[in-house]
Amino acid sequence: MTATRGWREERVTWSRDTTGRPVPLFTGITRDERGKDVPALGVGLSETALLTAGLRDQLWENMRLTLNDAAEVRRQRPPGADR
């Protein structure tokens, strides 16, 4: 399966959506509305999020918190529960 946005230094990692369909996760360099080169994030082929310095820090923190939340939810499940 291939997917591209045409960004420079584009990288793609594949994940799945909530129904099990493959979804590409893109990172790369694109241009903002002023033509400046900026790092970007895209999920699937929809909108592009430009990653400013402050936003990058907050995104990393949110990812860390979400992974910790998911680990806590798994720990709270009764033995044998798969959801």
Side-chain angles (χ1 to χ4, degrees):
M1 194 173 302
T2 62
T4 185
R5 286 179 171 242
W7 296 345
R8 285 177 291 121
E9 305 302 327
E10 181 177 288
R11 292 169 183 85
V12 63
T13 300
W14 288 88
S15 185
R16 299 217 173 260
D17 69 13
T18 57
T19 66
R21 292 179 299 213
V23 176
L25 306 173
F26 296 95
T27 58
I29 308 292
T30 191
R31 293 183 189 263
D32 68 10
E33 68 278 4
R34 296 174 307 216
K36 180 181 173 187
D37 292 332
V38 292
L41 170 70
V43 177
L45 298 175
S46 61
E47 289 84 6
T48 296
L50 302 181
L51 300 175
T52 62
L55 183 60
R56 286 188 303 243
D57 293 343
Q58 187 61 55
L59 182 60
W60 280 116
E61 178 65 6
N62 287 353
M63 290 293 296
R64 185 187 68 75
L65 292 169
T66 298
L67 292 170
N68 288 344
D69 292 343
E72 182 63 26
V73 167
R74 282 192 303 274
R75 280 192 294 274
Q76 293 175 3
R77 286 191 191 134
D82 61 348
R83 292 197 173 254

